[in-house]
Amino acid sequence: MGIEEKLPSGILLTSVEKLVNWTRKTSTWGATFGLACCAIEMMAAGAPHYDLGRWGMEVFRASPRQADLMIVAGRVSQKMAPVLRQIYDQMAEPRWVLSMGVCASSGGMFNNYAIVQGVDHVVPVDMYLPGCPPRPEMLIDAILKLREKIMHEPLGANGRKMLEARKERGDVPVVPHGSMPSSYRSDKVKRAEWTQAVREGREEQLRIEKWMQEQRHLQGGGRW
């Protein structure tokens, strides 16, 4: 019998760290900041069809001082890099960066002197999103993974020390926070399948098998 059974209804027990991280992850406001074609997909993710407002981030702030999430959507030129860094420095703490698309993450096809070969040379990146350009569904999945990372972030200097101590002892989860696809994380059975696949080192094989099972056009002789 736990203490929760002794408490009246309407009372919730938690820690300060979990409560603070829950409020942070459910109110991430993005900076109004787009660099290239990936920004069109970011706009589509915020539009009614995909509706980022379902996760409390329908407001893209015009001022970086009111934003805590920077989505670097597109290639970063050498001329734009100091501007991007200035916007990042003006954002409120804590702040997070999502590198959207292959051009922002590694320079992509623009392997030349004018383009920064990875935005992590300018600002620290918390989540990388591949694709050229990634679809709105992929951006939403990356945001949900980032939210999971935010939920498990340590609070304060002592929290970071405890996290480092757990890593040194090897006391880490089988599946790192933020690495499980959101389609698996939302279902208990799928979540167990993914965890087992990570233990066996075959998570990509599981992903392909599930994708093949869901492709109706590959079944029944190619007829729907």
Side-chain angles (χ1 to χ4, degrees), residues 150-205:
I150 294 172
M151 186 65 191
H152 293 88
E153 282 187 354
L155 192 64
N158 291 331
R160 287 190 287 272
K161 291 179 182 178
M162 292 174 61
L163 182 62
E164 292 298 327
R166 286 200 296 266
K167 288 181 179 179
E168 291 179 1
R169 295 195 306 266
D171 184 16
V172 294
V174 176
V175 181
H177 301 301
S179 63
M180 184 181 294
S182 55
S183 57
Y184 286 84
R185 191 170 60 249
S186 58
D187 186 278
K188 185 181 294 186
V189 177
K190 288 185 176 181
R191 189 161 64 242
E193 289 180 352
W194 184 268
T195 304
Q196 183 63 28
V198 171
R199 287 196 180 99
E200 299 173 0
R202 58 175 189 87
E203 56 268 28
E204 291 303 321
Q205 180 181 348

Side-chain angles (χ1 to χ4, degrees), residues 66-219:
Q66 298 175 350
D68 50 16
L69 173 62
M70 173 185 282
I71 302 176
V72 183
R75 58 189 179 272
V76 182
S77 65
Q78 298 286 354
K79 192 173 183 179
M80 182 58 70
V83 180
L84 185 145
R85 180 68 202 197
Q86 182 179 7
I87 293 175
Y88 175 80
D89 290 337
Q90 290 175 346
M91 290 171 61
E93 286 277 5
R95 55 200 172 193
W96 300 276
V97 177
L98 194 156
S99 178
M100 181 180 180
V102 65
C103 295
S105 301
S106 63
M109 67 189 79
F110 301 100
N111 186 14
N112 56 51
Y113 65 91
I115 302 299
V116 177
Q117 302 300 299
V119 71
D120 49 7
H121 291 286
V122 184
V123 293
V125 177
D126 299 282
M127 184 67 64
Y128 292 91
L129 173 59
C132 184
R135 287 183 53 83
E137 297 97 325
M138 298 172 65
L139 176 59
I140 291 173
D141 181 68
I143 291 173
L144 293 178
K145 289 179 179 178
L146 180 61
R147 282 161 55 95
E148 186 183 359
K149 288 186 66 176
I150 294 172
M151 186 65 191
H152 293 88
E153 282 187 354
L155 192 64
N158 291 331
R160 287 190 287 272
K161 291 179 182 178
M162 292 174 61
L163 182 62
E164 292 298 327
R166 286 200 296 266
K167 288 181 179 179
E168 291 179 1
R169 295 195 306 266
D171 184 16
V172 294
V174 176
V175 181
H177 301 301
S179 63
M180 184 181 294
S182 55
S183 57
Y184 286 84
R185 191 170 60 249
S186 58
D187 186 278
K188 185 181 294 186
V189 177
K190 288 185 176 181
R191 189 161 64 242
E193 289 180 352
W194 184 268
T195 304
Q196 183 63 28
V198 171
R199 287 196 180 99
E200 299 173 0
R202 58 175 189 87
E203 56 268 28
E204 291 303 321
Q205 180 181 348
L206 175 65
R207 193 198 299 263
I208 294 172
E209 290 174 356
K210 292 294 184 182
W211 179 80
M212 292 292 290
Q213 292 174 5
E214 295 172 359
Q215 300 304 304
R216 292 185 294 164
H217 64 280
L218 298 178
Q219 304 170 6

